[in-house]
Amino acid sequence: MGSGSSVNANYKYSLQKSENAFKAAVLIQQWYRRYVARLEMRRRCTWRIFQSIEYACEQDQIKLHNFFSYLMDHFTPSSSKERDFISRMFISGESFKEAELEKHCDYESMEVPDSYTGPHLSFPLLPDHATALLEAFKQKQQLHARYVLNLLHETRKHLKQLPNISHVSTCYSEEVTICGDLHGQLDDLFLIFYKNGLPSPSKSYVFNGDFVDRGKQSLEILIILFTFLLIYPKEVHLNRGNHEDHMVNLRYGFAKEVMQKYKVHGKKILKMIQNVFCWLPLATLIDQKVLIIHGGISDTTDLDMLEKIKRNKPRPAQAPSMANKLEFSRWVRQTVQEQIEWCRKLVDISESEDEEPTYSSMVSLTDLDGPCWSRQEEWKQILDILWSDPMPQEGCRVNTVRGGGCYFGPDVTGKILEKYNLQFLIRSHECKQEGYEFCHNRKVLTIFSASNYYEIGSNRGAYVKLGPDLVPHFVQYQANKTAHTLTMTQRISRVEESAFRALREKLFAHTSALISTFKAYDKDNTGKITLSNWATAVESVLHLGLPWRMLRPQLVRSTTDGMLEYKSWLDDLAMEQRSQEHIQSSLLEVIYRNRSNLETIFRIIDRDHSGLISFEEFHQTWKLFSSHMNIELTDDGINDLVRSIDFNKDGNIDFNEFLEAFRLVKQSQ
């Protein structure tokens, strides 16, 4: 009996112990699931912040459209000098005639000094040249300007022979590797080649646009891709992206990068690159079954028409005579319209909120003037494939977030696939956390190859490989070594901190508008508003489409009885920004809000990309600005302004001085 009781007691004890362990495991599992869910919620909020700010920055190009539209409607040149100035501002490099471009390039007259220790190129290029370039760029060496121009010259000759849509076929033993956006991140390209192998007769690649901007080594990426293109013209294929455009490069850093790396010959290199971009093919078709385009499609995309478009269509090269002011006005309108076409097309959106316009109705070609009809139709086709994004809803509508292209639904995808007997589409253009993403019932694949795009740890890069069966196989990677050492919590915290820092800068840049909106809710002038009204007001000013109530704890640190002292909160934002920039807050707000537009305008005026504007250029430009801002400034007043902001008295205006002039005019308002 005693032995039986002991066994029973041990059994009960073991059972109780197992039950406790099970409960503990359930509790741990519940805690872990809540923990992971909170991390995922933080990650998604962070992602929305980055994307909203990125796309809002792209919309800033529309502000330039508004400025130039005002110029076209209200400014009439009073002399041939002003007419010539406007002509120089808006004539694009594509209008260079063949002989002029050859003369402008003139790489043969450049001598490579004996002291040069970088790689040497001779044409036709060989695989050893590509290997030497890769090693040189890994060692932070720079290719001599003569070789850069020579390479661009040969690349241009080759691209001119290519069709608008490249056709690639696979065989039983061959794979095609498709890479998405690289955006100047050379380490990602190195890692792709390390993992997948260099281009070769048995290793084909398609690079799907957006090689440049944002990253610091865009030019090196171009040089490498163009080199492999010339060595393996049948195995390497390049599609044009929305960032292969001069106006976009002025805003997002590539033009600045070239001029910093090649101070003497940078403007020649930029001019050649600008022309080369115009000749890049628009799409690639694999086995007549898989269409690769950079952005997307629309309900009016016509592949037959894309095949026939003159993708390098030149722009007017010379302004008409001042004698016919109507003709000159039309020329200015058409030329400016084309020069900024990529970044502002399709933004003439109806103000009516009763009915959301369809994409086709917004760009009705029958409403356009006769002489421009054909050109506008062609530009529309190109803009759609470079700027568009997929959406889960049916239909096709204006892409109001980016300001160009459209949103296309699964029904639009289905119709295109059926019409051209395609299996699926591959596109890029959007950063994805895992480097790739399917949508539209796996009929649209987004591939993005720039890892850590927003911040270290924000996303993986990826490329996709297609064999003869056209089944996609993905390879993901992180090019930054630090990202591998971070835990999930550390990675999300780091990215989150960067996102909220960018968001606070955005809030600070709209301080004046926020105060006005807050006061509208503060009827009794208490200096306080509810947190609900705070969220509504912030969205009404920034238009970022963010969940402000969810983000509020990270942005508003202290409240009293559920009320926010908004002036104190804005003062805290100003203090944070002033700690980084030792400038008075009122000026800093103006600069934060307008700097990107101002820098783009500055670079448009600075036609030789010297980083300086002459007194004459500034004088003519400021007449346009003062007209746009409704400020009356006499010629003597402008001359006094020029002299007063030329701080170093070198007879030129640099960008910092340009910003100071902007501040002075804003204050005079």
Side-chain angles (χ1 to χ4, degrees), residues 139-312:
Q139 302 300 322
K140 310 300 182 184
Q141 291 182 322
Q142 186 169 292
L143 185 64
H144 192 276
R146 174 196 169 97
Y147 299 132
V148 176
L149 286 169
N150 197 351
L151 176 65
L152 293 172
H153 174 75
E154 295 298 326
T155 301
R156 179 174 174 272
K157 284 201 305 184
H158 172 70
L159 291 175
K160 288 174 65 177
Q161 308 303 316
L162 300 182
N164 291 345
I165 300 179
S166 303
H167 292 261
V168 180
S169 63
T170 61
C171 64
Y172 182 76
S173 61
E174 189 176 10
E175 285 183 329
V176 178
T177 301
I178 300 99
C179 302
D181 299 34
L182 288 167
H183 278 302
Q185 297 185 190
L186 185 59
D187 287 342
D188 287 298
L189 183 60
F190 284 155
L191 190 54
I192 291 171
F193 286 158
Y194 173 78
K195 285 177 169 288
N196 197 57
L198 297 176
S200 69
S202 60
K203 185 77 65 176
S204 296
Y205 277 89
V206 177
F207 293 93
N208 196 25
D210 278 13
F211 320 121
V212 302
D213 281 331
R214 303 189 188 277
K216 297 181 179 180
Q217 294 175 292
S218 297
L219 186 57
E220 286 82 354
I221 286 179
L222 275 189
I223 290 171
I224 290 171
L225 295 183
F226 290 164
T227 298
F228 278 117
L229 175 69
L230 295 179
I231 296 173
Y232 302 111
K234 295 182 180 180
E235 289 77 32
V236 176
H237 308 273
L238 308 181
N239 283 351
R240 185 174 187 173
N242 63 305
H243 277 261
E244 277 67 64
D245 178 81
H246 183 59
M247 285 293 290
V248 180
N249 300 154
L250 289 173
R251 176 181 289 270
Y252 290 103
F254 179 51
K256 186 176 182 180
E257 174 193 332
V258 173
M259 290 307 302
Q260 287 178 340
K261 291 178 178 178
Y262 293 91
K263 293 180 171 58
V264 177
H265 301 291
K267 59 184 179 181
K268 291 184 178 181
I269 293 173
L270 267 180
K271 189 63 66 176
M272 281 297 294
I273 289 175
Q274 183 180 354
N275 191 271
V276 168
F277 282 169
C278 299
W279 285 103
L280 285 169
L282 303 173
T284 299
L285 196 56
I286 298 181
D287 289 347
Q288 302 296 317
K289 292 295 183 181
V290 180
L291 178 65
I292 306 173
I293 65 284
H294 178 73
I297 56 176
S298 76
D299 53 1
T300 58
T301 294
D302 186 337
L303 297 187
D304 296 325
M305 183 175 179
L306 278 174
E307 286 269 25
K308 301 171 184 176
I309 284 176
K310 293 182 179 179
R311 61 183 186 269
N312 68 311

Side-chain angles (χ1 to χ4, degrees), residues 486-540:
L486 299 175
T487 65
M488 180 187 297
T489 304
Q490 290 173 328
R491 187 165 58 249
I492 291 177
S493 296
R494 181 167 184 162
V495 176
E496 186 179 56
E497 180 182 351
S498 177
F500 278 103
R501 183 167 58 250
L503 189 55
R504 283 190 286 271
E505 289 180 1
K506 198 80 175 175
L507 288 164
F508 171 73
H510 293 80
T511 298
S512 300
L514 286 171
I515 288 178
S516 298
T517 309
F518 291 155
K519 285 182 177 179
Y521 286 99
D522 183 18
K523 304 293 185 182
D524 299 327
N525 294 322
T526 62
K528 298 179 180 180
I529 57 173
T530 66
L531 294 176
S532 177
N533 286 340
W534 170 85
T536 303
V538 169
E539 176 57 28
S540 70

